[in-house]
Amino acid sequence: MLEEHNVRQGFFERSEFVAFRDALPDHLKPVVTFAYFTGWRRGEIVGLRWNQVDLAAKSVRIEGDSTKNKRARTVTLVGELLEAIQGQWEKRKVPAIPGQSPTLLCPYVFHRDGKPLGDFRDGWEKASVTAGLGQMIEIEENGKKKKKYVGKILHDFRRTAVRNMTRAGVPERVAMMVSGHKTRSAFDRYDIVSDDDLREAARKSWEHAQNQEAAAKVVALGSNQ
């Protein structure tokens, strides 16, 4: 098999995620919160309906026919993730849609004024640029100059969630169940090492070496007595 050279390496550090979320329009903030903690794919998130949510049990379940790998999975809601879903529940009654009843119940967990989320690239790109996580560059295409966005994308949250779960000590089998990865090879590609990880590894290695040296001195002193 040919080596893969086009595997993206992007992910969100916690501070980047917070800054980015703060810059987003209100209707997209719970979307990225859900993506940050679960690593679900775009279609799975924007297509999530209330009949898949059990607030009493604090869980969300997606059936196999709605997933890429055809496997059902369940996510437990806690912390910010639970708050995001509870906030959407409070907004499920859309108060003002022209020509619609003010008591309309929106079947989608994530929506904009009761309508399914469509293409939200504009809102995403503006927030990314504002948060310093992206930029608009000028390119030439077919003899014409145009602006192109370069920066964080929604799929980066998939890598982020995997990395956060493994760093938090979540067993890989469980993390794969949450994010929906079917194969270990695909999961491993998303378990990304950052510069902070490398610095932490160096620090721990140095501490280990120092501890070994200290232990050796103790043994040496003990043997001389």
Side-chain angles (χ1 to χ4, degrees):
M1 295 180 64
L2 296 177
E3 294 184 25
E4 294 187 47
H5 297 288
N6 62 341
V7 179
R8 288 181 57 88
Q9 297 291 309
F11 57 90
F12 286 80
E13 297 291 357
R14 174 67 185 182
S15 58
E16 293 176 334
F17 161 63
V18 172
F20 176 63
R21 183 175 59 181
D22 288 345
L24 282 169
D26 287 344
H27 68 281
L28 292 180
K29 291 178 180 179
V31 174
V32 299
T33 298
F34 195 90
Y36 177 81
F37 285 103
T38 67
W40 282 20
R41 299 175 178 86
R42 183 189 188 282
E44 296 169 346
I45 296 174
V46 300
L48 188 65
R49 293 172 176 260
W50 283 115
N51 61 6
Q52 297 170 274
V53 179
D54 187 340
L55 279 177
K58 298 180 180 179
S59 66
V60 173
R61 180 174 175 81
I62 186 170
E63 300 301 332
D65 57 3
S66 300
T67 67
K68 183 177 180 180
N69 63 14
K70 304 304 178 185
R71 290 183 179 179
R73 60 185 187 273
T74 300
V75 171
T76 299
L77 304 174
V78 296
E80 286 182 53
L81 188 55
L82 175 60
E83 291 173 3
I85 298 300
Q86 288 175 330
Q88 290 303 101
W89 178 251
E90 294 301 320
K91 298 175 184 177
R92 71 194 186 284
K93 292 185 178 180
V94 183
I97 300 179
Q100 297 275 2
S101 166
T103 59
L104 174 69
L105 295 178
C106 181
Y108 293 97
V109 175
F110 307 109
H111 61 89
R112 185 175 187 179
D113 296 331
K115 300 293 181 63
L117 291 176
D119 187 347
F120 50 81
R121 281 179 294 181
D122 285 346
W124 177 283
E125 292 172 3
K126 289 178 182 177
S128 180
V129 172
T130 298
L133 303 176
Q135 59 181 321
M136 302 301 296
I137 63 173
E138 191 174 84
I139 64 171
E140 187 170 321
E141 190 174 279
N142 298 324
K144 296 181 179 180
K145 292 184 178 180
K146 58 183 293 188
K147 294 288 186 179
K148 178 182 179 181
Y149 168 75
V150 177
K152 302 290 188 183
I153 62 174
L154 182 61
H155 204 74
D156 289 334
F157 278 123
R158 192 153 170 75
R159 284 173 278 272
T160 300
V162 167
R163 180 174 175 270
N164 286 345
M165 284 187 282
T166 56
R167 299 307 185 275
V170 176
E172 291 182 357
R173 179 182 60 83
V174 177
M176 289 174 68
M177 287 293 295
V178 173
S179 63
H181 284 95
K182 187 174 182 179
T183 65
R184 174 64 185 272
S185 60
F187 181 84
D188 285 345
R189 288 202 302 270
Y190 282 39
D191 187 9
I192 298 167
V193 176
S194 70
D195 290 341
D196 287 341
D197 295 325
L198 297 175
R199 282 190 287 270
E200 181 68 5
R203 184 187 66 79
K204 288 183 177 179
S205 294
W206 172 236
E207 287 182 354
H208 179 66
Q210 288 179 307
N211 291 336
Q212 285 183 315
E213 185 175 342
K217 289 180 179 178
V218 170
V219 171
L221 287 173
S223 62
N224 292 332
Q225 293 177 351

